[in-house]
Amino acid sequence: MKNHKSRKILIYLTAFLLVFFYSRSENKSDSLKIEIVNHQTDDSTKVNLLFQLGNQYEYFKSKERIEYYIAALNLAKKIDFKDGIHRISVQLITNLSHRQLYDVALEYCNNYIQYLIESKQENYFKKVYKVYATLLSKQGKYKESLEYNFKALNYYLEEKNEVSVATVLSNICLLHLINNQPDSAYFYGLRAIDLFRKNNRQSEMANSILSIAEIKLAKADYANAKLKALEALNVYSGINLKLGLMQTYFVIGQIDLKQGLNDSAIVNFERTLEITNEYYNAEMKRDCYAFLAKIYQVKGDYKKAYENQTNFSSYNDSVSDQELKAKTLEMDARYSISRKEGEIKDKEHLIEVQNKQRNFLILGIIGVIALLIASYRSYLQKKKATDIITEQKKLVDEKQKEILDSIQYAKRIQNTLLAHTDFINKHIPDNFILFMPKDIVSGDFYWATFVRNKTVNPETGNVYGKFYLAVCDSTGHGVPGAFMSLLNINFLNEAINEKGIERPDEVFNFVRKRLIDNISKEGQKDGFDGILLCIETLPSLMSEGPKTIVTYAAANNAPILIRKKTETKAVEAPELRELESDRMPVGIGERKESFTLHNLELSKGDTLYLYTDGFADQFGGPKGKKFKYKQLNELLLNINSLTLVNQKQNLENVFTEWKGNLEQVDDVCLIGLKIR
């Protein structure tokens, strides 16, 4: 009973103290507002009052803090109050940066730099070197960011500020790591650790130790990477910094995965996910689920692989949502900043606060009036919020429609670049095309062209030449995949129709070089897997008619040939052969040698199938597993005796039934060709 009373007293006392300190904070803000209202002269005193008023609001969340900083800065510029301009600019830029409003912060930083240049006060810029370097880094301008980090380093060395020196060294370490310079990153990371340890900055020291672990991981020094990660884990555990623990478990999971320690990697990725549930981090969740899906697939646990792949897709969309929210927050900040300079809210209410001190009776009346005003304002705010939500929903719906219309238009553009059915039918009459994009537009594509030679059949008028057919799978799907498919089609067209390259292997070599030169300068592995078939018809000197020569090049995807093999005079059993292919993509890969030219002898009745990986990789069936290539090839063998029209319908039915209610995981493209 006694303990119960003690707890109640403690609760009441805590509530009283909270109200007391909150009311003191409110009174401080109110008194500053009154002083600003009564101070009619635009001078340095008013600048300082506005700046002090901004400091009364919460650092990371309050829009008012930014608004009063802007009002103070504008007034300081108006009266040319240099000390105020320097002091407020540094605080404003730093606050905007900490709130992740990087574009707005960079805008004010550039304005400040321009002011310093015009007023010949460039020396003051030293105080914002570090934050300017951070803003450049957030924009992906790593070279410029590195330059200003070194300027900040020299400045802090002159100031003998060891903690700031260590912070800049840590930033330089990360920039070198991003630029794939692990040795330089290691050098600066060790210097940062020494200074953080000397100044007893435990969390910053652990951050730098974890950076060293990531450097060792990048250099494939897994043993030392693990040791450093465990050292960082020990420090984070000692100070109970959960965000640090989250990052460390994630790095250890990657190290375990590289070492083939799949069970240990699963444990560490799941530990990471536990902490992300407390400190929501959609990007970290997404990456964990991606690694777990990969591990469970290797272990053969396809159910868990599918579950984690589904979670990956969900949080990948969530990351995009967070980016949209960040943009919305930035626009909201820009709106707040653009409001009229010197706007001070609740001026009438402040006057009423002064009046109520005159008389106890008037105090009661003013209290009633204040209550009515508060109720009315609450009503207006709710109405305004409702109007804003309605308008925003309307805007989102309009934007969504615009995006869908744009994607539909992109689909029409993509379809015009795909090989037209009539064109393919003209050169290979017996064919079918099964093309099912995952989204509206596709990373898979099929493309064809015909190159005439100078030979014409004098009797029939037929033109001889080379017919090319490509079936390819570009990196990605949806809009990114569609962009890649358009680029790949352009390079194929350039190789054959502009450069006059005739051999399929040399065409792939040319396209690979064009991709690397144009979009893979920083190591991006964008390109495609695919097959390029060349069917050349030449007049024969013999009486049996025209001669057909078939060659092809294959990157990761192998053509499938089904031929009727005569076992007896009465029975013909079809035989399936997976033809040769090069195990490398058209783009950056582990292998760099030239593609192989394959010659193919086709007989009457042969059927050739060209496909991408979308059909075989589809999850479904009673156990939610992949369809797989073996089952796909068996299906092609079983339906080979059907007409090509019925084959296509059969394939489409099987795919739909297998997928069931699950999401289509990739684009599907499968073409069948029968030789007459």
Side-chain angles (χ1 to χ4, degrees), residues 430 432 561-565 571-576 605-609 633-648 650-651 672-674:
D430 294 333
F432 74 82
L561 173 64
I562 296 182
R563 171 172 292 164
K564 291 186 177 180
K565 178 183 178 183
V571 180
E572 287 187 346
E575 177 187 54
L576 184 144
D606 287 351
T607 309
L608 196 62
Y609 297 97
N633 291 338
E634 289 174 354
L635 175 61
L636 294 174
L637 192 60
N638 291 334
I639 65 174
N640 180 253
S641 60
L642 302 175
T643 65
L644 291 175
V645 172
N646 289 336
Q647 286 187 39
K648 176 183 177 181
N650 193 291
L651 286 164
L673 312 170
K674 179 162 283 189

Side-chain angles (χ1 to χ4, degrees), residues 155-174:
Y155 171 67
Y156 290 127
L157 286 171
E158 292 175 4
E159 297 285 316
K160 297 182 179 179
N161 187 335
E162 290 188 342
V163 173
S164 294
V165 168
T167 302
V168 175
L169 289 172
S170 179
N171 292 342
I172 293 173
C173 167
L174 291 175

Side-chain angles (χ1 to χ4, degrees), residues 438-484:
K438 176 186 183 299
D439 302 307
I440 298 173
V441 289
S442 171
D444 285 11
F445 67 90
Y446 56 95
W447 173 82
T449 189
F450 181 73
V451 179
R452 302 157 61 107
N453 61 23
K454 298 179 181 179
T455 307
V456 179
N457 189 321
E459 297 179 0
T460 64
N462 291 338
V463 178
Y464 298 108
K466 294 182 179 180
F467 173 71
Y468 294 89
L469 176 63
V471 174
C472 304
D473 179 3
S474 303
T475 306
H477 52 73
V479 175
F483 273 116
M484 282 303 304

Side-chain angles (χ1 to χ4, degrees), residues 47-48 51 69 72-77 80-94 108-109 111-128 131:
V47 170
N48 292 330
F51 184 62
Y69 277 178
L73 179 61
N74 289 343
L75 181 56
K77 289 181 178 179
D80 196 23
F81 179 28
K82 292 183 175 58
D83 182 64
I85 293 172
H86 300 316
R87 177 161 41 90
I88 299 165
S89 293
V90 172
Q91 288 296 320
L92 174 62
I93 295 165
T94 304
Y108 273 91
C109 196
N111 290 341
Y112 181 49
I113 295 169
Q114 187 63 33
Y115 166 77
L116 294 176
I117 293 172
E118 292 175 356
S119 60
K120 298 181 180 179
Q121 302 178 79
E122 292 93 330
N123 193 49
Y124 280 91
F125 186 43
K126 294 178 179 179
K127 295 185 179 180
V128 289
V131 68

Side-chain angles (χ1 to χ4, degrees), residues 23 35 133 136 247 297 301 308-309 311 380 468 515 528 537 539 559 633:
S23 63
E35 195 171 350
L136 291 170
Q247 292 282 355
Q297 185 174 2
D301 190 341
N308 282 282
Q309 181 65 30
N311 287 332
L380 290 179
Y468 294 89
L515 286 168
F528 65 87
T537 305
N633 291 338

